[in-house]
Amino acid sequence: MKIAFVGCGYVFDIYMRSQWAHPELEICGVFDIDLARSAVVARHYGLRVYDSYAALLADPAVEIVVNLTSIGAHHAVVRAALEAGKHVYSEKPLTTDLAQTQALFALAQACGLVFTGAPCNLYSDAVATVWKAVRDGAVGKPVLVYAELDDNPAHLMGLETVRSPTGAPFPYVEELQEGCTVEHVGYHLLWLCALFGPVLSVAAFSTCLIAHKTDTPLDPADTPDLSVACLTFADGVSARVTCSWVAPRDHSFTVIGQAGAISVDNVFHDQSPVRLERFSRVSLSARKAYTLRTQPLIGRLFGLGGRRLKLVRRWKSHGVEAERGVGRSLKHRFVSWLRRREVYAQDKLLGVAEMVRALREGRPQPTPPDFLAHLNEVTLLIHRAGAGAGPVIPTTRFVPLEPLPDMIAGQPDYRAAYRPRRLEAALGGLVAALHRR
């Protein structure tokens, strides 16, 4: 299908990293209110530039508008696209007002159009692996989730100097003004709600800990840079979700069940390692030892951390395994390889691709409006919690999601395939003997 981008800032280059993997998406052109910026990306990628947003919307070839504008512009940009008869895929959050978000979904439905959006990490190999393992009963009945989204002390990171490969500045002012929760908690909420259904109650706390993060004046200056939320789901699952721009980077996600735990190192990496540990008396006892906790190569002999799982591979898994057409220098190619290997790898276009696949197959979108509205509401409840109140009951609900077929069909049975390490199995009797009087 034919798409057009509105907004050519920092995130645009991230979308373009995986364009090569999506021949089904034809880019008609781009528009940015900074015409010089749109001209730069047009020259770099060989794209057409629209001289106005109205011109983009008037192009009959454009079927989908991909909205990458600043958060404050989302409502007006999306509404105009829907009124022009275009499907819309929008960056997160859809808006910062639940009533506006729901009004946009109602407008899309009335027009017979699709309005959906980011984050797209629901479609990653990593979450597909976690979803399949949980369904296989690999950790027994899930009861607890720890989800961390600490993104380093922002005031020490020199965000003012960060640039995309085509020179777009990192939008640090907007990020700091909107807050860590609005910008990032969706990555975890998406996985949590997909796995366990709607949030039934929210008990949260948010605050601003570092008053001076940049010399650029911020408005507001006290947007929370820390939030902690305790979420309750059906079937007895609870989750603790932490977001901050204060603590050292930690993007981990751990599902703890009655029989084990499954952990993902980095929700910002589509192919992040996923580890499954089936609890045993050996591994749980070994965790008490400082050396075994702090020396992973030794600890794993006793079962700590379990086994690294073979990832589920999906139809676009290759999209994050290479990058083409963004930067051409030797330095950029090296940095790109290092980033994909060690830090961050997301196929941002995968969300648009899944949207298109559902449209072509005539089936409902994988993330329907009620699901996205729920994420929107819970995000805002956490962000605005302040000194804390709770539990708060969200007003929105959604029908629990099912994994997409290729997340399940033909994939391993992670519970049946799990085997403890030989030393862990051999030490079972010894550990039992040591605990007897």
Side-chain angles (χ1 to χ4, degrees):
M1 293 184 76
K2 296 181 179 181
I3 68 175
F5 288 90
V6 54
C8 300
Y10 187 87
V11 74
F12 178 80
D13 282 335
I14 302 178
Y15 271 76
M16 295 303 287
R17 286 173 184 163
S18 57
Q19 181 202 4
W20 67 273
H22 295 279
E24 74 281 7
L25 303 177
E26 179 183 342
I27 301 176
C28 294
V30 299
F31 169 73
D32 194 285
I33 55 173
D34 181 348
L35 295 179
R37 174 64 192 155
S38 54
V40 167
V41 302
R43 285 195 302 271
H44 186 88
Y45 296 109
L47 300 173
R48 171 188 176 185
V49 176
Y50 294 98
D51 59 13
S52 68
Y53 187 39
L56 183 156
L57 296 180
D59 184 352
V62 174
E63 298 171 274
I64 298 173
V65 172
V66 181
N67 172 35
L68 308 184
T69 62
S70 61
I71 293 171
H74 281 190
H75 178 260
V77 167
V78 172
R79 184 176 183 86
L82 293 172
E83 289 174 341
K86 312 295 186 184
H87 302 296
V88 179
Y89 182 91
S90 180
E91 258 301 325
K92 59 171 179 51
L94 301 179
T95 77
T96 53
D97 183 290
L98 178 60
Q100 286 188 343
T101 298
Q102 291 174 319
L104 291 175
F105 282 128
L107 176 60
Q109 183 179 24
C111 296
L113 297 167
V114 169
F115 169 39
T116 188
C120 65
N121 62 327
L122 176 65
Y123 312 118
S124 68
D125 295 357
V127 75
T129 304
V130 174
W131 209 341
K132 179 66 166 60
V134 168
R135 287 172 65 95
D136 288 344
V139 297
K141 182 183 183 299
V143 292
L144 176 63
V145 181
Y146 283 164
E148 313 293 345
L149 239 170
D150 296 311
D151 224 12
N152 274 332
H155 61 290
L156 301 178
M157 296 303 294
L159 299 175
E160 297 91 336
T161 65
V162 178
R163 295 289 185 275
S164 76
T166 60
F170 177 75
Y172 73 96
V173 171
E174 179 183 354
E175 293 251 342
L176 296 178
Q177 288 178 165
E178 295 293 346
C180 56
T181 308
V182 167
E183 294 286 352
H184 290 153
V185 77
Y187 289 101
H188 277 322
L189 287 181
L190 189 78
W191 287 23
L192 284 165
C193 291
L195 285 164
F196 305 117
V199 176
L200 302 184
S201 69
V202 180
F205 163 84
S206 64
T207 189
C208 180
L209 298 175
I210 307 294
H212 184 80
K213 300 182 188 68
T214 173
D215 291 334
T216 303
L218 302 177
D219 182 21
D222 60 348
T223 301
D225 52 23
L226 167 69
S227 68
V228 181
C230 294
L231 310 177
T232 302
F233 298 84
D235 298 328
V237 177
S238 295
R240 186 205 65 202
V241 184
T242 304
C243 284
S244 88
W245 277 325
V246 178
R249 183 182 175 106
D250 183 353
H251 292 169
S252 61
F253 183 93
T254 304
V255 178
I256 301 159
Q258 293 181 345
I262 185 166
S263 60
V264 182
D265 176 70
N266 183 2
V267 295
F268 281 12
H269 200 301
D270 286 2
Q271 295 181 336
S272 178
V274 178
R275 301 193 69 87
L276 168 64
E277 177 182 343
R278 292 280 298 179
F279 294 148
S280 70
R281 197 170 186 183
V282 172
S283 67
L284 295 174
S285 298
R287 192 168 266 103
K288 301 175 185 177
Y290 171 81
T291 298
L292 300 186
R293 290 198 311 272
T294 58
Q295 302 294 327
L297 292 179
I298 301 175
R300 283 172 188 159
L301 296 174
F302 294 82
L304 273 68
R307 295 282 187 161
R308 182 167 174 172
L309 299 182
K310 182 179 180 181
L311 293 179
V312 167
R313 285 191 64 83
R314 306 199 57 243
W315 69 306
K316 293 290 184 178
S317 292
H318 58 286
V320 293
E321 296 172 349
E323 179 181 308
R324 300 173 192 170
V326 177
R328 302 179 177 90
S329 69
L330 181 61
K331 173 186 174 182
H332 178 86
R333 291 198 296 271
F334 172 73
V335 171
S336 170
W337 170 81
L338 188 65
R339 183 196 66 250
R340 291 195 312 274
R341 186 184 187 280
E342 298 288 340
V343 181
Y344 173 100
Q346 277 193 321
D347 178 0
K348 292 282 192 182
L349 279 172
L350 183 53
V352 185
E354 292 286 3
M355 171 189 183
V356 168
R357 186 160 71 150
L359 278 167
R360 285 180 170 170
E361 295 176 2
R363 56 177 170 80
Q365 290 293 311
T367 53
D370 56 352
F371 176 83
L372 293 173
H374 187 72
L375 296 189
N376 198 213
E377 181 184 17
V378 175
T379 295
L380 298 175
L381 287 175
I382 297 170
H383 171 67
R384 295 169 180 165
V392 177
I393 310 301
T395 62
T396 55
R397 288 288 188 274
F398 63 89
V399 176
L401 303 187
E402 288 293 322
L404 292 169
D406 65 332
M407 293 179 174
I408 300 299
Q411 305 298 345
D413 182 327
Y414 291 110
R415 171 67 186 95
Y418 186 86
R419 296 291 183 274
R421 295 187 183 276
R422 290 181 179 179
L423 183 60
E424 179 187 2
L427 287 174
L430 175 60
V431 169
L434 289 173
H435 280 81
R436 289 195 293 268
R437 286 184 178 273

